[in-house]
Amino acid sequence: MTDPTPSMPDPDLPRPGLADRASDAALRGLLGLGRMLPYRRRVPLTGWMTAHLVAPLAGWRGRIRDNLAHVWPDLPEAELRRMLVAVPDNIGRTVAELYSGQEFVDRVRAIPLEGPGAATLAAAHEAQRPVVLVTGHFGNYDVARAALIARGYRVGGLYKPMKNRLFDAHYIRAISSLGEPLFPRGSKGLAGMVRFLRSGGMLGIVVDQHMMHGLPLTFFGQVAMTATSAADLALKYDALLVPIYGIRQPDGLSFRIRVEAPVPPGTPAEMTQALNDSLEAQVRAHPGQWFWVHRRWKGPGGKRGWSAIRRARD
């Protein structure tokens, strides 16, 4: 088990510059304002401010448009305009929820597990069988982890340290308040993560970001470099590989937890493509809940890498 002590940020992260300090101060101010309000007002207000203030200033709307034009060019203009607001609104709500600690846990602890994998997951918990839980930056990706821990499941989380070490410190504190253990990506967290998984724990991984050294699999019909780490772990440690999602409901505050059937064993590429397909189905059903701000579709080494992929496929 790692100890993500908030007062001791990762020394390997670069020292914060002026831009890092400014963005961290802005985020702290936004969160501080939100904490003065009750939960039911805090979450939607943070969503509104993120959609109408942060997103335009950060250039998120342009990136959302570019991504949608790349993979969903026939999306009606009215739906596109809706998503320019819905996507950052969901991001803001998610941040507010993650920084609400026990209030958030209390709201999600009793959400029933549904879907074809719910019974299998419960059985794995009883048998203490290792499970790799896989989700994306969709809905609120920590709903399932918080809910499962609150009801006695042993669930650890794999996280990627933020480049802004100021933000990283309080972000780790926030996600730790929802449950532990947490394992940083890379060599620092590897040993603890492996011990936890071998002991019958469940490890939560988010796998929908561009990974330069991943495989050129598909997402929304376009090549997306994707890490196979979740499938690799499942195969190596005889763990179930289970897609799971915290789906935001129309009221903007409540969730459903959807557990898909375990991905059958196969090659890492086959299993990871199944994870991409599972997430794509959820995003198509709830398009405003995915983080369309990601630079998801890039070739290895950046945009220039696409030429190598195209030549290999032609």
Side-chain angles (χ1 to χ4, degrees):
M1 174 176 175
T2 57
D3 178 19
T5 307
S7 60
M8 297 177 63
D10 190 336
D12 292 338
L13 294 175
R15 294 185 64 83
L18 182 60
D20 287 339
R21 294 181 185 279
S23 60
D24 181 67
L27 178 61
R28 286 178 182 268
L30 180 63
L31 294 171
L33 176 63
R35 279 194 290 267
M36 297 171 63
L37 300 172
Y39 186 95
R40 293 187 65 86
R41 294 181 60 191
R42 176 193 318 149
V43 172
L45 176 62
T46 308
W48 186 93
M49 294 181 70
T50 304
H52 295 279
L53 300 178
V54 176
L57 292 173
W60 287 359
R61 290 181 176 179
R63 199 174 303 168
I64 293 168
R65 280 186 176 274
D66 290 345
N67 279 331
L68 288 169
H70 183 61
V71 302
W72 210 337
D74 57 347
L75 190 70
E77 180 64 24
E79 177 64 7
L80 172 58
R81 289 196 300 269
R82 187 192 71 82
M83 288 182 62
L84 293 178
V85 175
V87 170
D89 178 83
N90 183 70
I91 295 170
R93 287 173 184 259
T94 297
V95 171
E97 289 157 350
L98 298 184
Y99 277 79
S100 292
Q102 193 60 45
E103 287 181 283
F104 176 62
V105 173
D106 290 342
R107 294 184 68 91
V108 304
R109 66 167 64 245
I111 300 175
L113 304 182
E114 59 181 73
T120 303
L121 190 62
H125 167 59
E126 292 296 327
Q128 297 187 42
R129 179 174 181 182
V131 178
V132 178
L133 298 167
V134 182
T135 192
H137 290 85
F138 170 82
N140 184 319
Y141 50 87
D142 256 335
V143 163
R145 182 174 72 94
L148 291 173
I149 291 173
R151 65 189 67 182
Y153 284 54
R154 294 178 59 230
V155 181
L158 183 67
Y159 74 95
K160 180 180 180 180
M162 303 290 178
K163 291 182 180 179
N164 184 336
R165 65 190 300 174
L166 297 174
F167 178 77
D168 189 64
H170 56 80
Y171 173 73
I172 294 173
R173 180 170 57 203
I175 60 176
S176 296
S177 71
L178 307 183
E180 295 182 288
L182 293 171
F183 306 102
R185 286 185 182 273
S187 58
K188 289 187 176 181
L190 181 61
M193 180 188 70
V194 168
R195 285 196 301 269
F196 180 76
L197 199 57
R198 280 178 167 171
S199 72
M202 299 183 180
L203 181 68
I205 302 180
V206 181
V207 295
D208 60 343
Q209 290 181 290
H210 168 79
M211 186 60 64
M212 183 173 62
H213 300 296
L215 294 182
L217 304 178
T218 59
F219 187 55
F220 275 82
Q222 299 292 331
V223 174
M225 302 301 293
T226 310
T228 63
S229 51
D232 294 335
L233 287 169
L235 290 170
K236 185 171 183 178
Y237 299 108
D238 190 29
L240 296 176
L241 184 64
V242 179
I244 190 167
Y245 306 99
I247 306 171
R248 192 178 299 279
Q249 295 304 283
D251 65 2
L253 292 168
S254 60
F255 295 89
R256 289 168 40 224
I257 297 177
R258 171 83 180 179
V259 188
E260 300 291 357
V263 173
T267 66
E270 292 169 340
M271 297 170 73
T272 305
Q273 184 61 61
L275 296 174
N276 279 2
D277 295 343
S278 172
L279 177 60
E280 180 179 333
Q282 290 297 329
V283 177
R284 287 189 180 276
H286 311 280
Q289 296 194 36
W290 189 60
F291 198 80
W292 288 92
V293 178
H294 279 160
R295 299 185 187 278
R296 183 67 183 94
W297 292 273
K298 296 191 295 184
K303 292 182 179 179
R304 294 182 180 179
W306 287 127
S307 59
I309 291 177
R310 293 192 183 101
R311 286 196 299 271
R313 298 176 71 184
D314 292 341

